[in-house]
Amino acid sequence: MINRRSSFRKDGRCLIGTTDGTCHVRRPHAHVHTHEHSQSRCNMPHNICLNKSLRLLCIILLALHNARGNAGEVKKNVLLLLADDGGFEMRSYLNKICQTPNLDKLAKESLLFNNAYTSVSSCSPSRSAILTGLPSHQNGMYGLHHGVHHFNSFDDVQSLPKILKRNNIRTGIIGKKHVGPSEVYPFDFAYTEENNSILQVGRNITYIKLLVREFLSQNKTQPFFLYVAFHDPHRCGHSNPEYGNFCEKFGNGDVGMGTIPDWNPIYYQWEQVKVPYYVPNTEAARRDIAAQYTTISRLDKGVGLVLEELEKAGFKDDTLVIYTSDNGIPFPNGRTNLYDSGLAEPMMISSPIRDHRKNSVTYSMTSLLDIVPTILDWFNVTYTDQSLDTNEVSSPQLTGKSLLPLLVEEPMENNTAVFASQTHHEVTMYYPMRAIRTKHYKLIHNINYRMPFPIDQDFYVSPTFQDILNRTRSHQFLPWYKTLKKYYERPEWELYDLKYDPEELNNIALKPSVKSVFVELQERLFNWLKVTKDPWLCAPDGVLENAGLNKDNPQCMPLNNLSD
Ligand SMILES: [Ca+2]
């Protein structure tokens, strides 16, 4: 029953954190001053200044205003760089094979995150969570946005572009949008799959460079939030197989492939690649990874070009740069999974503020749900819910925290957790899962555990999965850390001791010695789901009754449907 659990402690996460590390609800409104505002303020008191008796006061006020303006100017813009299904394939994350000089250069200028996790391992749900600060079950984007999947966020959800626009900050998106409806995600400058070819705006890095140049040249004074969402290194064997499994041939200069002038593809031998522990060590998977690496060389150069444009346009010294990816890599146990291989993301934040941490590493538990509070904190803007109380999904509360305090110092953390919530990927892939992860443990709740784990169209046609399938069918040796049967069949609860079992192979959910850990994590997960108004809160063995007589006292009504 929910009311019996209501006294369970919260996770201690801030609604919005502050730069001094304290936790409180922000006071409403903090206006961002643009250069135009400064000028109008100077003009306004001019007549007053002519009055001799007020002249001294005026000079003091103007001096104070200018001092505040100068300090604020450093914190002016945000550039969010997002990879599509990108992982840790870079030297900065100890992959010595895949060459990423531009990402590594950015890493040296950044705080590098070693414990950053997406809240959902699927494209549209993750992008909606990144842009709204709400998990997918709360913002409505339960699965993919495009085609027959057709998932959308709720109409009254607040998003970064909406909030920032309201605060006179210019917004731009270049690349893959993959979220909707457009009223919830209204960018001022938009070159996406909605008005362009996704290959052009998402993978043609020369075109991306020129679009960034255009955005940055249009308005030199207004603060901006620019979101460059690369489509690399996403697979394309399902949609555009003519360009290779990862579109690694697109624009490489070969006959029929076109040319991307700014890209010199880097090719890899399949024998040389680094096979992650969760991918079979087969020639098929290795060739797949080699193609992925080549596509990453395009992403890497693209990141370099965008950062070069930022510098050339004169914004390097007043722009916060964030790099991360939306979900796990498109390999088994990666994308669509809540194992670490699907949840853990690369992340780096480069701040123009001199005293902020650079060329440094943080182990702080971080969620991509923290991106909204971070960017709002940077702009000193308030998250305001203007939705009406007519919908049960209104009055949301951000459960993420600002990451700006991390740029100052590493925090003391005590059993901090991040959360994940996955419901669909494709519309047919209904496999709801909820998870909590601390530095020590991971608890996954597979709500529809009696159904085989689903496989997406994109992954199905991949050489890696076809190889797993064929070897399993023909009972051939498969050098993998689990069987396909184990991959499909998952118990309702999975508990892993990540300290001793980082590969999440030994489920200890039923082990009596960790019962108290299991119960504690279950309670914390339940509490987060309750705070974030998860419609699946009582599933699979209860029905949530939260209207009518139960409006003020929501209940999980038992179904007695699980005999075991
Ligand atoms: Ca993705």
Side-chain angles (χ1 to χ4, degrees):
M1 296 291 180
I2 294 173
N3 53 347
R4 279 200 289 115
R5 302 194 190 199
S6 59
S7 62
F8 295 151
R9 69 191 169 87
K10 289 184 180 176
D11 187 41
R13 294 213 131 197
C14 299
L15 184 61
I16 292 181
T18 60
T19 46
D20 63 3
T22 58
C23 183
H24 68 100
V25 180
R26 255 180 204 292
R27 287 187 302 278
H29 196 69
H31 192 75
V32 176
H33 298 291
T34 64
H35 186 57
E36 288 96 324
H37 287 114
S38 303
Q39 284 180 331
S40 65
R41 283 197 171 200
C42 280
N43 290 336
M44 189 177 64
H46 183 68
N47 290 335
I48 302 171
C49 293
L50 293 176
N51 182 325
K52 197 177 174 184
S53 62
L54 290 174
R55 191 172 296 160
L56 183 61
L57 179 63
C58 183
I59 289 167
I60 292 169
L61 286 174
L62 284 174
L64 283 173
H65 170 75
N66 287 339
R68 202 169 56 232
N70 288 341
E73 270 175 14
V74 176
K75 292 171 72 173
K76 201 172 174 188
N77 315 303
V78 172
L79 170 65
L80 174 59
L81 302 166
L82 193 71
D84 194 357
D85 300 3
F88 298 89
E89 302 78 19
M90 61 183 92
R91 184 172 284 267
S92 307
Y93 280 112
L94 305 179
N95 184 322
K96 291 178 182 164
I97 307 297
C98 191
Q99 295 173 53
T100 53
N102 295 287
L103 284 165
D104 294 336
K105 181 169 178 280
L106 177 63
K108 284 199 177 112
E109 297 168 357
S110 300
L111 182 64
L112 190 74
F113 287 70
N114 262 338
N115 276 309
Y117 302 90
T118 182
S119 67
V120 51
S121 197
S122 173
C123 285
S124 303
S126 177
R127 284 153 201 267
S128 69
I130 287 170
L131 291 175
T132 66
L134 304 174
S136 58
H137 68 245
Q138 192 175 18
N139 76 52
M141 188 73 72
Y142 302 134
L144 299 179
H145 175 62
H146 71 283
V148 296
H149 317 297
H150 202 61
F151 288 99
N152 282 279
S153 290
F154 297 121
D155 295 338
D156 61 353
V157 165
Q158 297 295 309
S159 71
L160 271 180
K162 250 169 112 170
I163 299 167
L164 298 181
K165 195 180 178 70
R166 208 162 55 223
N167 285 273
N168 201 28
I169 293 158
R170 204 160 71 97
T171 59
I173 177 171
I174 296 166
K176 181 173 175 178
K177 189 175 178 191
H178 214 198
V179 289
S182 43
E183 298 76 34
V184 173
Y185 302 99
F187 287 89
D188 298 322
F189 179 100
Y191 284 81
T192 71
E193 74 276 13
E194 292 176 354
N195 55 12
N196 269 267
S197 146
I198 184 61
L199 294 179
Q200 293 302 329
V201 291
R203 299 193 197 255
N204 181 348
I205 54 175
T206 298
Y207 188 42
I208 293 169
K209 173 187 81 174
L210 295 174
L211 288 172
V212 169
R213 187 178 296 173
E214 191 182 336
F215 176 83
L216 296 177
S217 67
Q218 281 181 358
N219 184 327
K220 287 283 186 185
T221 54
Q222 198 179 356
F224 65 78
F225 165 61
L226 177 60
Y227 172 37
V228 180
F230 295 93
H231 194 21
D232 286 332
H234 194 282
R235 286 186 181 277
C236 73
H238 166 65
S239 56
N240 294 89
E242 68 274 22
Y243 294 123
N245 285 302
F246 280 85
C247 272
E248 70 276 10
K249 298 174 188 168
F250 175 71
N252 73 356
D254 287 355
V255 177
M257 296 295 115
T259 301
I260 298 174
D262 286 297
W263 182 41
N264 293 310
I266 302 174
Y267 299 103
Y268 297 86
Q269 301 299 313
W270 64 267
E271 296 94 336
Q272 293 176 331
V273 301
K274 184 177 175 180
V275 182
Y277 66 85
Y278 48 89
V279 175
N281 192 357
T282 62
E283 181 180 333
R286 284 175 163 276
R287 287 187 183 278
D288 221 8
I289 294 168
Q292 179 206 29
Y293 282 10
T294 296
T295 298
I296 285 171
S297 79
R298 190 168 56 215
L299 165 74
D300 176 72
K301 187 66 196 288
V303 166
L305 291 171
V306 172
L307 292 173
E308 210 174 281
E309 290 301 318
L310 189 78
E311 188 166 4
K312 278 186 193 163
F315 292 116
K316 193 182 178 193
D317 295 336
D318 55 17
T319 302
L320 185 78
V321 179
I322 303 172
Y323 171 87
T324 188
S325 175
D326 59 347
N327 51 253
I329 65 172
F331 284 87
N333 302 285
R335 190 178 67 186
T336 76
N337 283 269
L338 299 191
Y339 300 124
D340 270 14
S341 35
L343 282 187
E345 300 299 340
M347 190 177 197
M348 43 185 106
I349 299 185
S350 170
S351 167
I353 295 176
R354 198 177 45 192
D355 296 339
H356 276 174
R357 296 166 75 191
K358 293 170 183 64
N359 199 14
S360 184
V361 168
T362 176
Y363 293 88
S364 178
M365 293 299 286
T366 303
S367 167
L368 297 196
L369 293 172
D370 297 337
I371 289 177
V372 165
T374 302
I375 292 177
L376 295 185
D377 193 12
W378 178 262
F379 283 120
N380 202 15
V381 159
T382 310
Y383 178 81
T384 315
D385 174 37
Q386 294 188 330
S387 60
L388 301 171
D389 285 336
T390 52
N391 190 319
E392 65 182 25
V393 297
S394 57
S395 306
Q397 174 185 327
L398 294 182
T399 56
K401 64 184 185 308
S402 170
L403 300 173
L404 297 188
L406 269 183
L407 295 171
V408 179
E409 63 178 350
E410 190 75 358
M412 294 289 288
E413 290 188 349
N414 184 16
N415 207 13
T416 306
V418 293
F419 298 89
S421 162
Q422 177 115 7
T423 305
H424 284 268
H425 179 64
E426 291 165 4
V427 68
T428 52
M429 295 171 64
Y430 180 64
Y431 198 85
M433 299 177 282
R434 305 292 184 260
I436 175 172
R437 190 203 193 281
T438 64
K439 278 182 182 164
H440 199 154
Y441 293 102
K442 158 92 64 70
L443 179 70
I444 303 173
H445 187 199
N446 297 308
I447 295 173
N448 276 23
Y449 63 98
R450 288 180 169 175
M451 173 185 156
F453 188 80
I455 303 295
D456 65 81
Q457 294 174 320
D458 198 34
F459 176 52
Y460 183 82
V461 298
S462 72
T464 301
F465 185 73
Q466 283 298 308
D467 187 46
I468 292 174
L469 201 57
N470 290 334
R471 285 172 186 256
T472 303
R473 273 183 189 140
S474 59
H475 305 288
Q476 281 180 55
F477 173 64
L478 176 63
W480 195 24
Y481 76 149
K482 59 176 75 169
T483 62
L484 187 56
K485 185 175 162 61
K486 185 174 180 186
Y487 190 70
Y488 283 147
E489 296 175 4
R490 303 181 184 192
E492 181 176 5
W493 294 97
E494 294 178 74
L495 175 63
Y496 298 105
D497 183 335
L498 301 170
K499 217 167 181 175
Y500 300 103
D501 180 26
E503 299 185 354
E504 298 164 283
L505 279 175
N506 184 23
N507 181 12
I508 54 172
L510 300 176
K511 204 170 168 186
S513 61
V514 288
K515 194 177 177 191
S516 61
V517 172
F518 186 8
V519 170
E520 187 216 330
L521 292 174
Q522 253 186 332
E523 290 173 355
R524 292 175 73 182
L525 177 59
F526 185 84
N527 189 57
W528 180 73
L529 297 175
K530 200 168 59 168
V531 168
T532 54
K533 300 192 183 330
D534 183 10
W536 281 262
L537 185 69
C538 305
D541 52 355
V543 168
L544 174 64
E545 293 292 350
N546 59 354
L549 292 173
N550 297 306
K551 188 171 184 296
D552 299 322
N553 190 22
Q555 302 284 322
C556 280
M557 307 305 285
L559 283 166
N560 295 99
N561 57 350
L562 302 175
S563 56
D564 54 345

